[in-house]
């Protein structure tokens, strides 16, 4: 994977506040970096279409989460850094849902609150930006920002990420994560990828569905990570990304309560069989 790079110019106050806060509290000087959604937003602002102040606020403000699904600022550190002292004044760290990271809300300089996700799990510590981005399951997420010296940062990106993003499509790289389904839906519904999947991603999504059906996940994922795949598959089906013939993978797997003719709760039915019936009658 060959990455493109550029030195960041002066940015609007909102992303500048994020970079200031992360530099101050997370010791970028030690070799850390931001990767994923926030870096993608910066790249889009510079290389695709400049974002308005309102668009930045929609992305960053956790108080508006239900309406706009804002993103976290994901901070990674290289393997050789084992501990980082966080400056006093931040709110209490809490485990992320998947327990791969510590989450906190911090005040950016003059621009309210943001969610910062500090990745702590050993299996998600990398030697550098290249290794980190290579582990992501969507090309669309392959963006990063590194610290050079006070006030100077560098943007890194996989050119294939920009190809997919300019087409407003999701491009899948690999299927090793049980969270892939939710990421695909998030990017389609909330990250400007409303044109759906890249053509070569359909086969990879099918591969992920097979993993869900067979439970073929890497060892670092356990039951609490896998339980959410049921809802992801159902939402993907509702959005039109699970074909009727692919429902056969899930026959006799999940039960749901149907509705009677009058709209009241009915009898328990097999979800996949119910979906097949509705599609073929």
């Amino acid at each position: 994977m060959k990455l493109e790079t550029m030195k960041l110019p002066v940015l609007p106050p909102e992303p500048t506040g994020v970079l200031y806060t992360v530099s101050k509290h997370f010791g970028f000087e030690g070799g850390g970096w931001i990767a994923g959604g926030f870096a993608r937003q910066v790249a889009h602002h510079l290389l695709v279409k400049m974002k308005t102040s309102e668009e930045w606020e929609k992305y960053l403000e956790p108080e508006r989460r239900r309406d706009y699904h804002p993103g976290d600022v994901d901070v990674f550190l290289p393997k050789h850094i084992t501990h980082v002292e966080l400056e006093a004044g931040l709110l209490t760290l809490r485990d992320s849902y998947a327990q791969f990271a510590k989450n906190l809300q911090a005040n950016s300089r003059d621009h309210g609150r943001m969610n910062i996700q500090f990745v702590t799990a050993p299996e998600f510590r990398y030697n550098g930006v290249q290794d980190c981005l290579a582990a992501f399951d969507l090309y669309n997420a392959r963006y990063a920002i590194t610290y050079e010296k006070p006030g100077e940062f560098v943007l890194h990106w996989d050119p294939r990420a920009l190809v997919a993003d300019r087409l407003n499509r999701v491009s899948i790289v690999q299927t090793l994560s049980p969270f892939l389904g939710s990421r695909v839906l998030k990017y389609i519904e909330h990250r400007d990828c409303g044109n759906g999947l890249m053509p070569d991603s359909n086969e990879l999504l099918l591969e992920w569905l097979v993993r869900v059906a067979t439970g073929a996940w890497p060892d670092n994922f356990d039951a609490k990570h896998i339980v959410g795949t049921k809802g992801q598959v159902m939402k993907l089906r509702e959005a039109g990304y699970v074909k009727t013939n692919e429902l056969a993978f899930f026959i006799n797997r999940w039960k749901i309560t149907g509705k009677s003719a009058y709209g009241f709760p009915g009898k328990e039915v097999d979800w996949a069989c119910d979906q097949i019936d509705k599609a073929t009658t």
Side-chain angles (χ1 to χ4, degrees):
M1 177 177 62
K2 181 176 176 56
L3 300 178
E4 301 287 341
T5 62
M6 69 176 290
K7 181 180 175 181
L8 287 184
V10 175
L11 294 170
E14 293 83 5
T16 297
V18 172
L19 294 174
Y20 172 85
T21 300
V22 173
S23 299
K24 178 180 179 182
H25 295 298
F26 288 97
F28 256 0
E29 295 87 345
W33 60 89
I34 293 173
F38 173 77
R40 179 177 183 261
Q41 291 289 106
V42 172
H44 282 204
H45 177 80
L46 297 172
L47 303 172
V48 181
K49 180 184 177 182
M50 293 184 68
K51 296 187 176 298
T52 65
S53 179
E54 182 180 6
E55 287 173 320
W56 280 111
E57 289 176 2
K58 285 180 180 180
Y59 183 83
L60 292 170
E61 288 290 337
E63 286 81 2
R64 308 172 80 171
R65 180 168 297 278
R66 288 187 178 180
D67 293 332
Y68 297 114
H69 296 266
D72 299 322
V73 179
D74 297 317
V75 181
F76 294 82
L77 291 171
K79 290 182 177 180
H80 69 271
I81 297 179
T82 58
H83 181 69
V84 176
E85 291 291 342
L86 300 179
E87 184 171 310
L90 296 176
L91 299 181
T92 303
L93 288 167
R94 64 187 188 280
D95 288 332
S96 66
Y97 172 77
Q99 299 185 341
F100 291 138
K102 297 288 186 180
N103 288 344
L104 57 84
Q105 291 183 352
N107 292 322
S108 71
R109 183 172 59 180
D110 304 325
H111 293 285
R113 297 159 68 86
M114 70 188 85
N115 285 333
I116 297 177
Q117 184 160 264
F118 176 49
V119 180
T120 54
E123 60 267 37
F124 297 114
R125 303 287 292 277
Y126 303 100
N127 292 320
V129 168
Q130 183 104 1
D131 289 346
C132 176
L133 297 187
F136 287 4
D137 48 18
L138 299 182
Y139 278 118
N140 308 76
R142 287 186 168 183
Y143 299 89
I145 296 172
T146 57
Y147 171 96
E148 293 297 301
K149 59 183 180 180
E152 291 190 12
F153 302 87
V154 173
L155 175 68
H156 308 250
W157 71 94
D158 186 327
R160 292 166 292 189
L162 270 182
V163 170
D165 285 344
R166 283 173 171 156
L167 292 172
N168 302 113
R169 291 185 178 273
V170 171
S171 185
I172 300 173
V173 185
Q174 52 196 349
T175 65
L176 297 175
S177 169
F179 302 107
L180 175 62
S182 62
R183 290 179 184 132
V184 167
L185 287 166
K186 179 177 76 173
Y187 272 73
I188 289 173
E189 296 174 357
H190 305 292
R191 295 293 181 264
D192 301 319
C193 291
N195 289 335
L197 297 175
M198 293 286 279
D200 57 357
S201 291
N202 289 293
E203 186 174 340
L204 286 168
L205 183 60
L206 173 59
E207 180 181 299
W208 183 80
L209 293 173
V210 173
R211 286 188 183 276
V212 174
T214 61
W217 304 110
D219 291 341
N220 54 301
F221 296 111
D222 58 28
K224 67 178 177 291
H225 308 126
I226 297 167
V227 67
T229 56
K230 171 185 175 181
Q232 293 176 53
V233 172
M234 291 181 176
K235 289 178 181 177
L236 285 166
R237 170 63 181 176
E238 185 178 346
Y241 294 100
V242 178
K243 299 174 183 176
T244 299
N245 64 314
E246 294 166 352
L247 292 167
F249 299 141
F250 306 105
I251 291 175
N252 294 326
R253 185 176 180 88
W254 299 318
K255 301 294 184 182
I256 61 170
T257 300
K259 290 184 178 180
S260 70
Y262 299 99
F264 297 107
K267 64 180 181 180
E268 189 175 72
V269 297
D270 181 84
W271 173 77
C273 291
D274 184 61
Q275 288 292 306
I276 293 170
D277 287 342
K278 289 177 178 177
T280 55
T281 57

